[in-house]
Amino acid sequence: MAASIVRVIFSRSCVPVRQFIVTTPMRSLQTSLPRCDVESAAKFIGAGAATVGVAGSGAGIGSVFGGLCQAYARNPSAKNQLFNYAILGFALSEAMGLFCLMIAFMILFAM
């Protein structure tokens, strides 16, 4: 019985198997100029470097309001004057962050 099983398996493995080859339409290989690739990579690197200033703006705003909390804890009577200075510091810090973001967008889309 074992010999017949081996013979069946052996005979089935010798049967040629039909292979179906699926052909897909060929597309031509399209490449861009290396010069354009380098320019686009430089744009992305420059825009990424310009957006680092946005993180600095966030740190500056945190520092301004942290200083406001400390100053108010030391001298509660000067609340209005401290708050005006804090808003001025917030506005200047936020403006620098927006300028950095504007430069990043100019690098990406205007050049």
Side-chain angles (χ1 to χ4, degrees):
M1 175 145 167
S4 65
I5 293 175
V6 171
R7 201 174 302 132
V8 170
I9 292 173
F10 210 77
S11 65
R12 286 188 184 166
S13 65
C14 294
V15 175
V17 178
R18 286 184 138 180
Q19 293 181 350
F20 295 102
I21 300 173
V22 179
T23 58
T24 57
M26 297 293 288
R27 293 186 340 184
S28 63
L29 180 65
Q30 296 177 353
T31 60
S32 60
L33 295 173
R35 181 173 167 259
C36 293
D37 291 340
V38 171
E39 286 178 1
S40 65
K43 278 185 178 183
F44 291 134
I45 291 170
T51 56
V52 171
V54 177
S57 171
I61 291 169
S63 176
V64 164
F65 284 108
L68 173 68
C69 291
Q70 287 179 355
Y72 181 67
R74 288 181 184 206
N75 189 3
S77 63
K79 178 181 178 182
N80 290 333
Q81 185 179 8
L82 292 173
F83 187 73
N84 289 338
Y85 287 146
I87 292 298
L88 179 65
F90 166 77
L92 293 176
S93 182
E94 187 69 23
M96 293 307 293
L98 290 175
F99 289 149
C100 292
L101 196 60
M102 180 187 66
I103 293 298
F105 284 137
M106 286 176 59
I107 289 171
L108 283 177
F109 301 114
M111 295 181 175

